Each structure stands twice: as C-alpha cells, then as structure tokens.
Amino acid sequence: MTENAQQQPPAPDTELPTQYAPADVEGPLYERWVERGYFEADEKSDKPPYTIVIPPPNVTGSLHLGHAFEHTLIDALTRRKRMQGYETLWQPGMDHAGIATQNVVERELGKEGKSRHDLGREAFVERVWQWKAESGGQISGQMRRLGDGVAWSRERFTMDEGLSQAVQTIFKRLYDDELIYRAERIINWCPRCLTAISDIEVEYQDDDGELVSIRYGEGDDSIVVATTRAETMLGDTAVAVHPEDERYRHLVGREIELPLTGRRIPVVADEHVDPEFGTGAVKVTPAHDPNDFEIGQRHDLPSLTVMDEHAVITAHGPFQGLDRLEARSAIVAALRADGRIVAEKRPYVHSVGHCSRCKTTIEPRLSMQWWVKVGPLAKAAGDAVRDGKVKIHPQEMEKRYFDWVDNLHDWCISRQLWWGHRIPVWYGPNGEVVCVGPDDEVPTGEGWHQDTDVLDTWFSSGLWPFSTLGWPERTESLAKFYPNSVLVTGYDILFFWVARMMMFGLYAMDGTPPFHTIALHGMVRDQFGKKMSKSFGNAVNPLDWMDKYGSDALRFTLARGANPGVDVPIGEDWVQGSRNFANKIWNATRFALMNGATVEGELPEPSKMSSTDRWILSRLNSVVAEVDAFYEDFQFAKLSDALFHFAWDEVFDWYVELSKTTFAAGGEPAEVSKRVLGEVLDVTLKLLHPVVPFVTETLWTTLTGGESIVIADWPTDSGFRDPAAEQEIATLQQVITEVRRFRADQGLQPGQRVPARLTLDGTALAPHEPAIRQLLRLQPEGDAFTATATLPVGGAEVALDLSGAIDVAAERKRLAKDLAAAEKEKAQANAKLGNEAFLSKAPDHVVEKIRTRLAKAEEDIARIQAQLEKLPPA
C-alpha cells in the first residue's frame, strides 16, 4: 500500500452532506479536473508512456450506451495507469462521418426547399463546416458528463488540417507504391445516398421477397435458374453450371436464349456453382452481382449495366425508366405470360443488405472506383499478430481476425460525396493522371480537373493512432506516444477499423504496429439479451440514467457486466443497484469520519492490532493483488465484482460493524482501529476510483485532505498476510451468521434482545464477545436465565433463553403447518417421478422442474425439522 498524497488530518464530517447527490457533485468535479490539467499528457516527461485512442465517434452522434460502455472501460484503464505513474494519454477526437454528416446537412437544406446541387460543391462544403461549428460534436459534452479523462487540448477531427495532410501523404505514398489503383469493380451502391458504401455501412436483415424459377432456352437446350432479383436478368451474359454436373455437360459451351431480350448467352462451367443447391444452374449478371462479376472475369464475359445510380432500369425495351422494384413485378408478369415461369415462392424470406444511414436496399453495381491493393498490407497485419508483436484479447478472437485479414478483398476507398477528403488526383486534357502530395504543386491549365470523389471515412480513421500525434512529421508526441499501449474496441469492428489501422500503421511507421494489445469487448444489450434498437422499443439514452442515478452508477453497472469479448446485458434495476452501492460507500465513509477514522501517521505495528484489524488488512492486500491481476487481463467484470463484495460485505458490513464496539470502548485499541479503518478506506476508494470516479474523489479528499484522488498513488500489495486472523474472523462470521439465521427462523425481530450465555473459553473468539453480543442483540444471561435453545457453532456454544421472546406453542403450530405442506409437496413430486407413463411422455424440462420441486421440498423438511428440534418444550 502507498502513502497518501499531501497527507493532512481528515476534514470534519460536516464537509460531507448526509446524503450523496450526484447531480451536485459530478459537473463541478469534472471541470476542476480539466482546469487543473490532470488529463493532459506531456511528451517531454520521463515517465513511461501509456496511450489509448478513443474510437472516434461520429460528429453527428450523441452518447449511446455502447459509447458509455466503451468509454467507461478506457477511462478505468487510463485512470489506473495515471495513478501508477505513467504519462497517460487518452487521445480524443471525432470522425467527420462522410455519409451521415452529408445526409444531415442535406436534410436541413431540404427544409429550405434546396438541394446541395443548388448550392454547388464549394458552398455546400462550407455549409457543412458551419453545421459542425454550430451543432456538431454534442457528444463531447456528454463525454464530460460520463467523466471521460481525455486530453482535451489534443482533441482532433479527421478533417482538420493536420489529419488532412496525413491523409494526402499516405494516399500519395500508397499510389506511388502501386498499392492504390482505379478500376471498374462491383461495389455496394446506395441509390438514395448516391454513393458507394463500405461493407460495415451495410446492414443485413431478413426481408419478405419472392423466389422465381425461370426457364431459359427451349426443349433439350433449356435450363432453369432461380432468382430473387428478376429485374437483373436484363443484364445476364451467361448461365453457369458446375464442371462435373452431368445434367448440363451437353450445354457447356453452347448458347441459349435469354427470355424477353432477343439475346443468346453462353452456358459456362465454373466451380463456384454448387450443383446441390436449387437446379444447380445460376444466372450470371456481372455488372450487378459480386460473385457473378468474378465468374465474368474468369470467363471473359461482357458486363452489361442495366440500372442507373438511382436504380432505374436503363436497358432498352418496355422496362426502361422503371424503378427496380416496379421492373421486378413487370418482368415477372411478362415471363409468366410467355410461359417462362416454372415456380414462384412468395413470401420468400431472405437476407437483404440495406444502407445503414437511410435504410434503402443497397444495389450491387459495377462502377469505376479507387481501390487499395490490400494483399501485402493484410499479410503484414496478419503476421504482426502471428509473430506476437500484437496480442488480441481474448485470444479466441484471433481466429476471426485471421479469417478476415487472410481473405481480404481489395478495398474500395472512393465515395461519391462532397463532404470528406477529396481524392488528390488530377486529370489532364490528354488523359494525364497526376497524384498530388501535400508538398506537390497542383497541375493548372486548361482541361485539368480534380477527381470528384472523396475517400471512405475508414481511410482517415485508419490513420488515427499516428495521424493524431502529428504524422507525417516526426513529432515529439509521435516518438513518445506511438505505438498505443492498447486498443479497446468492440469485436464488431475488428475487421473494418482495427484491420485498417493495423495495415496503415505497419505501412506508415516502418513496420511498427499501432498498438501492443487489441482488447475486444462485446455489445451492450437489454436485460433479456436482446439487441437495443429504437424499433424494438428497448433503446436507452444513457443520459437519462445518469440524470436519475448518477454517472458512477451507470459506469459501475457497465463495468460489472464487461467480460472480454462477451455481450453485456443491462437493465435499469441494475443501475439502481449500483446507485445503492455508491450510497453505501458514502454512508460508510461518513460514519468512519464521524468516528475518527484517519490516514494520519504510519500504520501501527501488527502486534498492536486486534485480529479484526489484521484480518481486514490481510484481505485488503489480497484484493489489491487480485484487482491488479484482473486489470492486466481486462477482466472488468471480475475486478468490479471483487471490489463490490470486498467493500460492501467485508469492509462495510463486517469490519465497520465489528469496530463499533472497539470505538465505544475507547483507549489504544480504538485509536489503532481508527487508523486501520482510515487505511482501508483510503485504499478501497483508490481501487474503486477508476470505475466510479466522482463519489470516490469526494470521499477521498475529505478523508485524506489530499489534492485529488486522480493524481494519488495507486495502491500496491505490501505482502502483509495473516491467515490465522482470516480464519479467526471467518469463524466469528460463521457464529454470527448462524445465530442470525436461527433468530430469523424463530421469528425474532432484528432489533429484539434476548438473554444469552456464550461459552467461548478456549477459543479464539473470547475477545470478540462484546462484538458478538452487540451484533446479535444478546443480553447478559441474568439470574433467571433458562437455556431454551443451544447452538454449537465454530467451536463455541451460544445458549439462548427464548422463553420470553416467542410464543413457543404458536411457533410449533406454524412450523407444523409448514412441515405438512412440504411433506405433501414431496409426496406429489415422488408420485409423478415414480410414474413411468408420466416420465415417458413429459418433456425433459417438465421432468427437471418436478425434480427441482422435490429437492426444494426435501430441503424445506430438513430445515423445518431442525427448527422444531431447537424449540423449547411448549
């Protein structure tokens, strides 16, 4: 354990109100922390660095439970490391969120009856910057509400000048190394946002559709294909079958008629086709399906685009000008009239991709785009984990990582938007293509123009661990704080954000990965394990819970559910329980201060301490070691649970209660216990601080007089252990618990006093008799004492005189009634379990329920019989 920062005599208890009011405490405390610069990081410091970047929230976003969860974990890690003496940087910032932000501003323009095209590109981008200045970034204020200890002076934005320079620099380097190229490929296209979108921006859901089986060709030359997108048949350029499928061997290499079009298309053999699925034949539309595009490439098939960017049919004929869904119905009707429909299944539930921003069904579309050649970059990202340079936690997530990076397709990085990093490529009047770096001169002259596309948001956020530190300049911050110590993020973006940071970090930073450890967490779900969603009606605004119960209560609930890589269920009653825990900490510390608990002076020698004092210090050191081990393994749930039970069960419910008799007796033992209680609270508050920062700051500064717990020393395990004292107090707890249970079984009120004789001679419990009597409400035996119940427990004996405390006859009658009910329940359960006909027909869960009822009945019978035996004669 450690010395206290700026130790002074404890402030009087009047500084602590009788009740904890989070709303009065949290805001002023946070502003004081920021004003004093506790969260800032100094690259000139000789302290060892500890760096974590914030997964940059969207500038359009607001704090949701997922943010609150992730930020709580990161804040806990950084607060602990700061207390351990590290130069700690939690790097804040926001993502410009290309599509989301452009959509927001376009909606605002729509209210004015305008579109972005009415403004033009330059004026529209200026309008977005104006929106950001006025309305963007509200999440920053909400992060303060949560208590995020970020270095606000270092806040970055993916479109700020420095990060824009970093984006242009790495684009130029990748382009010069032939790792960026332009090509026509299949991409995810949103007909509403009018841009390509990344895989992570596609949300899949089960939709009701139709599966239509269509006959291509005639007679022996016919073949049946099935599709959910009949409108794309207008762009078919082949039918594919498996090379070893005997049914179609005679057709491979021949042409068959494509209905409604007057065209003939070839039948090709391709191993991609599953001969066991459906008819074993698939239509091939290279311009409108990614798998078909690959087949088309292998067989040199033409790619016919039959829809424009609005998903309107462009193919010549009667369907031209129809929306894709209108065309689907019209084409199926025309095929049916032509006798080409073999089968129809509707509704046909299948997984369909939707734009995560506007919910429009995405359209695979052949398009000229910019791409990153990920092969060598992905190999380096995979090797960094295989070689142990980067650890993934939990380790079982490594397989998912390798499955992704080892099979990564080239990455489409261009977006047809106006808001974002514009691609730094200029085209000349004679077909010239020039990529321009930040220090290069832009081509000028007649006919030169810049590419109109912008870069995928993930391109700039992939640079986040080093661009935020000043790269491409070799800054002091970059030298001090790169690579990051750990990345804390959800497993859901392992593939998208994490893999891109790994690729770019290794490439830009000479083979040094962007972080040492990737700590993956799960998703926050409701208390029933269901995904939170506004459409489900179970989404929660974390600000509501913080307003109601305090930020500490929300943080502790989230941390207590955080097992590595596992989803986190959360319900309001759990947050209420955490609020009760914060109140318990407050009330126990207030009691301790009122009774003279202090951190002044050195701890007394163990020889001067009572066994109760030695027990709690022994347990305290064990908990310090346990919490440290859990932190190193990112076991937030286990460390939170360990602290909860130690603080509530051992410190507050046992040590504080046992110390009351010592304080009442006074003298040197009381002074020793006051110092021990002060030490225990000092260390316990420090251990709790990273997870519940506000209440612990208030209590710790009042207890110790220190400047702030934020900059106090983290506790260390002194190595002190006292197994004998731990065993002694365990026996004491057993005695008190057993007698309390007996009292409750007899119907005694908690505060009701009864005469008792304690036989403790020859046991280690003899010095604890005053505490035992006080905690159990036991009076001295007196002259008229009659032992009506005797409890041998823990090597001691407790004899109670209940003659004046309970109506024995009434109690026997009540217990006899309960016993009869339990025996009836047992007989009924045994009868069912002994009935072979019942066992053969009943479901397993019903039989198991009967077995559980039998076990409960037998347990009740044993308990009631024991109570009857302990009662005095009526």
Side-chain angles (χ1 to χ4, degrees):
M1 286 170 278
T2 60
E3 295 181 4
N4 295 292
Q6 301 185 12
Q7 287 185 353
Q8 300 174 13
D13 75 282
T14 52
E15 289 193 10
L16 280 182
T18 55
Q19 290 184 328
Y20 178 48
D24 297 337
V25 170
E26 293 173 352
L29 264 189
Y30 187 84
E31 291 309 313
R32 190 182 315 151
W33 291 335
V34 172
E35 289 167 8
R36 293 179 178 179
Y38 293 155
F39 305 139
E40 296 302 325
D42 182 4
E43 58 268 13
K44 294 182 172 60
S45 166
D46 58 2
K47 296 178 182 179
Y50 187 81
T51 316
I52 295 181
V53 295
I54 194 172
N58 288 351
V59 67
T60 58
S62 59
L63 191 74
H64 57 64
L65 270 179
H67 288 128
F69 172 56
E70 186 168 78
H71 290 199
T72 294
L73 305 188
I74 299 175
D75 198 37
L77 290 173
T78 52
R79 284 179 183 269
R80 172 174 173 263
K81 285 296 183 180
R82 189 177 293 112
M83 295 171 76
Q84 286 183 315
Y86 286 78
E87 193 61 35
T88 302
L89 169 61
W90 183 8
Q91 173 67 55
M94 284 185 294
D95 191 283
H96 64 278
I99 294 177
T101 305
Q102 181 157 317
N103 281 347
V104 167
V105 178
E106 284 195 85
R107 282 196 297 270
E108 293 295 316
L109 283 173
K111 296 175 184 177
E112 303 170 14
K114 298 178 182 178
S115 73
R116 60 183 165 119
H117 299 285
D118 294 324
L119 271 67
R121 183 169 193 144
E122 187 175 336
F124 176 77
V125 171
E126 182 60 35
R127 178 70 175 259
V128 180
W129 279 108
Q130 180 184 335
W131 174 87
K132 177 190 178 292
E134 295 172 356
S135 307
Q138 71 178 48
I139 198 169
S140 296
Q142 296 165 345
M143 287 164 59
R144 293 171 182 263
R145 281 287 313 277
L146 190 65
D148 286 5
V150 300
W152 287 112
S153 69
R154 293 172 175 263
E155 187 175 11
R156 303 302 300 269
F157 180 55
T158 51
M159 288 280 286
D160 68 30
E161 184 178 352
L163 268 65
S164 295
Q165 182 183 24
V167 168
Q168 193 174 354
T169 299
I170 201 163
F171 187 100
K172 170 70 171 172
R173 292 186 186 180
L174 289 165
Y175 181 87
D176 289 346
D177 287 344
E178 298 183 348
L179 292 173
I180 282 183
Y181 63 94
R182 192 169 185 241
E184 197 173 39
R185 298 277 184 83
I186 291 284
I187 44 87
N188 301 309
W189 181 263
C190 176
R192 156 61 183 80
C193 298
L194 298 180
T195 181
I197 61 176
S198 65
D199 291 337
I200 198 171
E201 292 164 325
V202 179
E203 292 180 349
Y204 288 90
Q205 65 185 48
D206 288 341
D207 286 357
D208 286 345
E210 59 181 348
L211 182 67
V212 182
S213 297
I214 310 168
R215 177 173 53 84
Y216 287 14
E218 301 292 345
D220 292 340
D221 289 349
S222 68
I223 196 166
V224 175
V225 298
T227 181
T228 58
R229 301 166 66 217
E231 68 279 9
T232 63
M233 69 163 292
L234 301 176
D236 286 0
T237 56
V239 172
V241 298
H242 193 274
E244 298 178 5
D245 194 331
E246 294 293 337
R247 295 171 295 176
Y248 306 116
R249 188 179 294 274
H250 68 291
L251 287 175
V252 174
R254 297 171 60 181
E255 291 186 342
I256 59 175
E257 182 184 349
L258 178 65
L260 305 182
T261 66
R263 290 193 289 114
R264 295 184 66 80
I265 58 176
V267 177
V268 299
D270 195 280
E271 292 189 352
H272 168 76
V273 180
D274 180 1
E276 304 298 323
F277 183 77
T279 64
V282 297
K283 58 190 288 299
V284 181
T285 319
H288 294 278
D289 184 275
N291 293 322
D292 292 3
F293 178 80
E294 297 295 333
I295 294 174
Q297 293 289 100
R298 287 192 288 272
H299 297 277
D300 198 24
L301 298 174
S303 296
L304 301 183
T305 299
V306 296
M307 273 180 266
D308 66 13
E309 64 270 23
H310 298 280
V312 171
I313 300 298
T314 58
H316 291 294
F319 312 108
Q320 186 175 8
L322 295 180
D323 172 80
R324 56 183 165 170
L325 298 182
E326 296 173 334
R328 182 177 302 170
S329 299
I331 287 171
V332 170
L335 289 167
R336 190 183 301 114
D338 201 26
R340 294 286 179 173
I341 300 296
V342 175
E344 296 180 70
K345 183 177 181 180
R346 71 170 65 84
Y348 178 74
V349 179
H350 62 131
S351 182
V352 177
H354 296 259
C355 174
S356 63
R357 304 300 178 191
C358 68
K359 311 309 176 186
T360 302
T361 300
I362 64 106
E363 189 66 41
R365 185 168 187 263
L366 187 63
S367 179
M368 182 67 76
Q369 302 285 346
W370 285 94
W371 303 82
V372 173
K373 186 185 294 182
V374 299
L377 302 174
K379 182 181 184 303
D383 289 345
V385 175
R386 288 189 174 93
D387 298 344
K389 290 181 181 178
V390 178
K391 305 289 186 186
I392 293 181
H393 190 279
Q395 191 173 359
E396 54 266 27
M397 288 284 183
E398 281 187 3
K399 183 180 184 301
R400 297 180 65 177
Y401 176 78
F402 292 136
D403 286 346
W404 179 257
V405 297
D406 293 347
N407 299 285
L408 201 56
H409 296 291
D410 284 1
W411 169 24
C412 176
I413 55 172
S414 47
R415 299 291 180 266
Q416 290 64 55
L417 303 171
W418 288 357
W419 172 245
H421 296 282
R422 194 164 175 182
I423 287 176
V425 172
W426 271 255
Y427 304 103
N430 299 311
E432 302 95 333
V433 179
V434 177
C435 181
V436 176
D439 298 324
D440 299 334
E441 288 189 13
V442 173
T444 57
E446 187 177 349
W448 282 93
H449 64 280
Q450 186 178 359
D451 196 297
T452 56
D453 288 352
V454 300
L455 287 163
D456 177 13
T457 299
W458 295 103
F459 190 93
S460 50
S461 59
L463 315 180
W464 193 247
F466 52 93
S467 64
T468 52
L469 298 172
W471 187 91
E473 301 298 323
R474 294 289 172 171
T475 63
E476 288 183 294
S477 289
L478 190 65
K480 177 74 173 181
F481 295 114
Y482 186 92
N484 285 199
S485 306
V486 62
L487 173 75
V488 179
T489 191
Y491 62 70
D492 59 323
I493 56 173
L494 173 63
F495 315 129
F496 304 104
W497 187 46
V498 179
R500 281 151 173 70
M501 284 191 291
M502 286 285 282
M503 290 191 296
F504 282 166
L506 289 160
Y507 174 80
M509 297 300 294
D510 304 318
T512 302
F515 17 74
H516 298 300
T517 301
I518 301 167
L520 299 170
H521 59 73
M523 305 295 104
V524 178
R525 297 182 178 271
D526 71 12
Q527 59 189 317
F528 306 108
K530 190 175 181 179
K531 180 181 178 181
M532 286 192 172
S533 166
K534 290 181 181 178
S535 60
F536 294 155
N538 63 350
V540 173
N541 183 347
L543 296 173
D544 293 341
W545 280 353
M546 287 193 281
D547 289 341
K548 195 170 182 180
Y549 303 111
S551 299
D552 284 335
L554 176 64
R555 289 171 60 116
F556 192 73
T557 304
L558 291 166
R560 204 173 176 193
N563 291 297
V566 178
D567 289 346
V568 183
I570 184 172
E572 184 170 3
D573 54 338
W574 303 342
V575 185
Q576 185 175 351
S578 295
R579 187 272 313 273
N580 295 344
F581 179 51
N583 289 342
K584 184 78 170 180
I585 301 169
W586 183 274
N587 293 332
T589 306
R590 187 170 181 275
F591 166 84
L593 289 169
M594 291 173 64
N595 284 275
T598 181
V599 297
E600 189 175 10
E602 296 295 323
L603 274 174
E605 292 296 320
S607 59
K608 295 183 179 180
M609 297 180 188
S610 68
S611 57
T612 308
D613 295 331
R614 296 195 306 276
W615 158 72
I616 198 62
L617 290 176
S618 181
R619 286 292 304 126
L620 180 65
N621 277 284
S622 295
V623 170
V624 169
E626 189 177 17
V627 167
D628 276 334
F630 285 144
Y631 262 115
E632 295 305 314
D633 200 35
F634 305 101
Q635 297 282 358
F636 297 97
K638 291 182 178 178
L639 72 88
S640 299
D641 212 47
L643 287 170
F644 174 87
H645 288 295
F646 174 71
W648 193 309
D649 299 345
E650 298 186 75
V651 178
F652 305 149
D653 280 358
W654 282 107
Y655 183 70
V656 169
E657 292 300 316
L658 289 170
S659 298
K660 286 180 178 178
T661 53
T662 307
F663 293 155
E668 186 178 357
E671 296 306 311
V672 170
S673 289
K674 290 175 184 178
R675 179 63 186 88
V676 170
L677 179 54
E679 180 75 8
V680 170
L681 288 174
D682 172 27
V683 173
T684 302
L685 291 171
K686 288 176 180 176
L687 293 174
L688 284 165
H689 172 71
V691 180
V692 285
F694 294 107
V695 67
T696 51
E697 168 81 332
T698 306
L699 295 174
W700 186 85
T701 52
T702 304
L703 171 71
T704 68
E707 179 185 337
S708 173
I709 197 171
V710 176
I711 55 172
D713 291 336
W714 181 254
T716 56
D717 176 8
S718 71
F720 175 77
R721 300 290 190 280
D722 194 328
E726 290 194 38
Q727 181 57 53
E728 180 179 322
I729 301 304
T731 304
L732 174 62
Q733 291 171 330
Q734 181 187 3
V735 170
I736 293 172
T737 301
E738 288 296 323
V739 176
R740 278 176 173 166
R741 183 179 294 119
F742 176 76
R743 285 175 56 105
D745 288 343
Q746 304 311 311
L748 294 176
Q749 296 300 313
Q752 189 173 354
R753 294 189 171 274
V754 295
R757 177 190 300 134
L758 305 184
T759 306
L760 307 175
D761 294 343
T763 74
L765 299 180
H768 299 288
E769 180 168 347
I772 293 173
R773 286 191 176 277
Q774 179 171 327
L775 291 174
L776 291 174
R777 304 295 189 267
L778 303 180
Q779 298 176 182
E781 53 195 276
D783 295 336
F785 179 82
T786 302
T788 58
T790 303
L791 305 175
V793 56
E797 188 175 271
V798 179
L800 303 174
D801 182 355
L802 303 179
S803 56
I806 61 173
D807 184 335
V808 176
E811 187 64 12
R812 281 190 174 277
K813 186 176 180 180
R814 182 184 70 82
L815 290 172
K817 182 179 179 182
D818 291 347
L819 181 61
E823 288 175 335
K824 181 179 179 181
E825 176 74 4
K826 176 183 176 181
Q828 290 175 341
N830 272 326
K832 287 189 175 182
L833 294 173
N835 184 337
E836 289 299 329
F838 170 78
L839 293 176
S840 64
K841 295 179 181 178
D844 290 345
H845 72 276
V846 173
V847 175
E848 185 58 34
K849 186 176 180 180
I850 299 299
R851 290 198 178 108
T852 302
R853 284 172 50 192
L854 174 60
K856 176 68 167 55
E858 290 174 338
E859 181 183 312
D860 288 345
I861 289 169
R863 175 180 55 80
I864 296 167
Q865 287 175 339
Q867 289 176 237
L868 284 166
E869 289 172 6
K870 292 175 182 176
L871 279 176

